[in-house]
Amino acid sequence: MKVLLINPTMGDYYRDAKVRAAITLSPPLNLALLAGALRRAGHTVIVWDEEAGAIPELERRIAEARPDLIGVTFRTPLFPRAKAIAQAARRACPSALLVAGGVHPSTRPLDCVTLAPFDVAVRGEGDQTLVELADGRTLRRDRRAHLGRRRDALPGAHHRRQLLGHGRLGSV
């Protein structure tokens, strides 16, 4: 499976903030760890870091990359940018599985599947969960994972259908 992992930019979010000096930019090590786990499992992985530079024509570039799974990691202040990325990804690759990860999806998974077009919000460490999502995916609408487990029953994964179908937030 071809997986695209994206780290959104903070842009000007902290430009006028007094805490700006405390905000450090560093390579997205979380995506490097996820990419390593996915590659060990036999998947092809592309990592885009918007902090390293803008990605011109994002929607076109996603369409050209043709990923099967698109993961976006973000903190709460970056939710609007992550949502914009997910919307572009959905238009570019309608059948791709859209996965939200990071601090915001860990604490507010319902936001990710109701206010943005993510299919799955991963809570906590996502390396094993993301590999299992990638291993089990055949079609976005196919909810069966490998070894007969339902994809929406993976530990740490909160699936849109489960969150919205039950009308409450709960671990899957």
Side-chain angles (χ1 to χ4, degrees):
M1 171 176 294
K2 192 172 192 180
V3 178
L4 172 60
L5 301 175
I6 302 174
N7 182 49
T9 182
M10 286 188 286
D12 291 333
Y13 184 81
Y14 293 106
R15 181 184 56 211
D16 297 325
K18 292 180 181 182
V19 298
R20 182 172 165 77
I23 306 300
T24 59
L25 295 179
S26 60
L29 298 179
N30 56 336
L31 294 188
L33 291 170
L34 293 171
L38 287 161
R39 285 184 178 139
R40 279 190 300 280
H43 301 286
T44 301
V45 183
I46 303 166
V47 177
W48 290 348
D49 181 12
E50 285 191 323
E51 285 299 341
I55 301 168
E57 301 181 43
L58 178 67
E59 190 172 327
R60 181 187 59 77
R61 299 261 323 266
I62 292 172
E64 288 174 355
R66 296 178 31 201
D68 302 299
L69 187 153
I70 301 167
V72 183
T73 182
F74 55 98
R75 297 181 305 267
T76 298
L78 302 181
F79 180 66
R81 180 63 190 146
K83 178 181 175 181
I85 290 170
Q87 290 167 333
R90 178 62 72 219
R91 289 188 303 269
C93 296
S95 65
L97 185 70
L98 299 184
V99 180
V103 175
H104 188 79
S106 290
T107 57
R108 309 276 308 190
L110 193 58
D111 286 358
C112 300
V113 300
T114 59
L115 304 176
F118 290 104
D119 296 306
V120 177
V122 175
R123 294 181 75 180
E125 299 300 320
D127 49 342
Q128 181 179 351
T129 303
L130 194 57
V131 168
E132 289 192 41
L133 285 167
D135 284 348
R137 186 189 176 287
T138 54
L139 295 172
R140 184 170 64 87
R141 306 230 189 288
D142 176 12
R143 304 300 182 219
R144 298 276 172 195
H146 70 296
L147 304 177
R149 284 207 319 185
R150 290 179 55 88
R151 179 181 301 126
D152 55 0
L154 290 175
H158 294 270
H159 197 278
R160 169 185 294 277
R161 185 175 61 90
Q162 201 252 353
L163 288 174
L164 298 180
H166 295 290
R168 64 178 171 74
L169 177 62
S171 184
V172 207

